[in-house]
Amino acid sequence: MTSPELLSLIFFHLTLVFFVLDLANAQGLKVGFYQQTCPSAEAIIKNTTAQYISRAPSLAPALLRMHFHDCFVNGCDGSVLINSTKNNVAEKDSAPDLSLRGFQVIDGVKIAVEKECPGVVSCADILALVARDAVSMIKGPFWPVPTGRRDGRVSTAQNALNNLPSPFSNITQLQASFASKGLSVKDLAVLSGAHTIGISHCFPAVTIRLYNFTGKGDTDPTIDPNYAAVLKKICKPGDLTTLVEMDPGSRKTFDTHYYSIVSKRRGLFQSDGALLSDSETKAYVLSQISSGSTFLKDFGPAMVKMGKIGVLTGKSGEIRKRCAFIN
């Protein structure tokens, strides 16, 4: 058996194992879970989210990213929202999460929901619904969010470091990371499209790719040289503050433009460029820049699937009174 065949077989078995493990819990989720216990919950969440997004649309990609970071660490259990204590460094204070923002939106929504239905709606569900509503409010796709998640009681920085895919990841690492969460290669290609909106700091992912890719003062050879030259004018070595668009010229619009720039080797991160080094992900990238693009239709189902990773349901976990604090 060749190494690509072996990798494919391992990927298939990993996906199957984690799909089966998550299925029992995920079956506790359903669209409209709060219809009897808090019928106005989703309307309150939508209206409160709209108050924030109308003033600061750039929070939409930030909230989408926060949901992703939550689900990939301990499952979609709201653990990314928990504050550190003197005895524990929580996820939000891990290196990959230090740039997360929008926690005030989740707190504001939680306060509004608690006024109507105290102790009913989980922070994990609020985050999943806010991410969906925020994307929809900037004219992105809308998808039905199954709810019924419970909140986790464990949040550690080390878990975040161990589980979050890195912007430095190659395609093998990305596939393994997604497979470990029960997500497919197509899910990887689709969810990467979330980079169609938002911004990133130059450091570390961009500056290292530009100035010290292999530790020898070199530039990533897979990036388009002309794009690298443009980025070097924006991101100087050691720059800790400058922000750069992930989808230049289209960062405020949820569209297929991301796949167009990736196809030209102009993805901002190494992990974006990695999509061209696998036949399946490359085929998806190229199919999205044709008239038959399916990204806007594919994104919702991929988000629903991601939103079922490692969920707590039934009597597991808790319903936090305040999202940043374990009860």
Side-chain angles (χ1 to χ4, degrees), residues 55-77:
R55 296 195 299 265
S58 67
L59 283 169
L63 291 161
L64 179 60
R65 180 172 177 242
M66 189 188 295
H67 181 37
F68 178 90
H69 279 228
D70 184 42
C71 290
F72 263 68
V73 185
N74 296 336
C76 311
D77 67 346

Side-chain angles (χ1 to χ4, degrees), residues 45-248:
I45 291 167
K46 180 180 179 181
N47 292 337
T48 310
T49 302
Q51 293 172 21
Y52 288 93
I53 300 300
S54 63
R55 296 195 299 265
S58 67
L59 283 169
L63 291 161
L64 179 60
R65 180 172 177 242
M66 189 188 295
H67 181 37
F68 178 90
H69 279 228
D70 184 42
C71 290
F72 263 68
V73 185
N74 296 336
C76 311
D77 67 346
S79 56
V80 74
L81 306 170
I82 296 172
N83 284 350
S84 295
T85 66
K86 63 180 181 180
N87 298 317
N88 179 65
V89 181
E91 290 171 36
K92 63 165 63 171
D93 290 317
S94 68
D97 285 348
L98 288 175
S99 58
L100 289 180
R101 62 191 188 94
F103 292 103
Q104 76 276 18
V105 181
I106 305 302
D107 291 339
V109 170
K110 179 65 170 173
I111 289 168
V113 172
E114 285 292 301
K115 283 181 181 175
E116 181 71 20
C117 312
V120 174
V121 182
S122 70
C123 297
D125 275 342
I126 286 173
L127 178 51
L129 289 162
V130 165
R132 185 273 310 275
D133 290 340
V135 168
S136 176
M137 286 166 191
I138 60 165
K139 300 183 179 178
F142 180 92
W143 59 93
V145 175
T147 45
R149 297 167 189 80
R150 305 265 295 176
D151 295 324
R153 296 188 179 100
V154 176
S155 180
T156 68
Q158 193 60 50
N159 272 351
L161 287 168
N162 292 345
N163 285 278
L164 286 170
S166 162
F168 302 106
S169 296
N170 60 37
I171 194 65
T172 304
Q173 293 164 330
L174 289 169
Q175 288 178 338
S177 176
F178 275 64
S180 74
K181 309 301 177 188
L183 298 174
S184 68
V185 174
K186 181 181 178 182
D187 295 326
L188 164 60
V190 174
L191 293 173
S192 294
H195 287 176
T196 184
I197 50 174
I199 53 180
S200 169
H201 284 91
C202 288
F203 183 83
V206 182
T207 50
I208 290 176
R209 192 180 187 205
L210 292 175
Y211 299 109
N212 202 26
F213 184 63
T214 64
K216 299 177 181 177
D218 54 339
T219 301
D220 180 355
T222 66
I223 192 171
D224 171 58
N226 294 323
Y227 181 50
V230 169
L231 286 175
K232 285 180 178 179
K233 292 178 181 177
I234 302 169
C235 299
K236 302 300 182 183
D239 184 341
L240 301 177
T241 57
T242 302
L243 297 168
V244 60
E245 296 177 316
M246 290 196 288
D247 186 359

Side-chain angles (χ1 to χ4, degrees), residues 310-322:
V311 294
L312 302 172
T313 58
K315 298 193 180 299
S316 299
E318 64 182 17
I319 303 295
R320 277 183 234 135
K321 295 183 178 72
R322 293 185 294 167

